[in-house]
Amino acid sequence: MPRSRRSGKRPYSAEHVPLDLDRVGGIRRAESGPDGEWTTQRVRGSDRTFRCPGCDQLIATGTPHVVAWQADGILGDTAALENRRHWHTSCWEARLRRRPTR
């Protein structure tokens, strides 16, 4: 016999809220552009600092950012993954308008 008690997590009258994939993070994406094929992953932050190749500034610890590596690397997937770079999200999105500093 089913329970008569309703769930309190989400009221039945409440509208369903769709999942925002940009906030999920950690999902690898394939991106293509005039600069080649890329695999990107948005990360929430790290306990290390990284230097963004787009602006040559440090990405502070705990700052959400993008990790990117070439998907069509000549030397293979392992070498491409070892050459991954950590970008500020805005620098990654503007990479076609300005060239990397490193």
Side-chain angles (χ1 to χ4, degrees):
M1 187 159 157
R3 293 184 191 182
S4 62
R5 193 180 99 192
R6 292 186 173 179
S7 172
K9 292 183 180 178
R10 184 181 67 143
Y12 286 100
S13 62
E15 186 70 27
H16 172 71
V17 179
L19 180 64
D20 184 6
L21 292 178
D22 289 333
R23 292 188 65 204
V24 172
I27 297 174
R28 290 185 179 176
R29 295 182 183 180
E31 294 186 25
S32 61
D35 57 346
E37 300 292 323
W38 294 88
T39 302
T40 62
Q41 184 172 354
R42 296 185 185 271
V43 293
R44 293 186 181 264
S46 176
D47 55 350
R48 293 178 48 195
T49 58
F50 299 98
R51 187 162 298 275
C52 175
C55 65
D56 202 28
Q57 300 295 314
L58 289 177
I59 300 173
T61 58
T63 303
H65 60 279
V66 175
V67 180
W69 61 95
Q70 283 195 316
D72 56 356
I74 297 171
L75 301 175
D77 293 338
T78 305
L81 190 59
E82 289 175 1
N83 289 325
R84 67 187 178 269
R85 296 290 176 253
H86 296 253
W87 294 69
H88 289 110
T89 304
S90 59
C91 292
W92 174 254
E93 292 169 355
R95 75 186 187 283
L96 299 176
R97 293 190 304 264
R98 60 180 184 211
R99 301 304 306 158
T101 57
R102 292 181 166 231

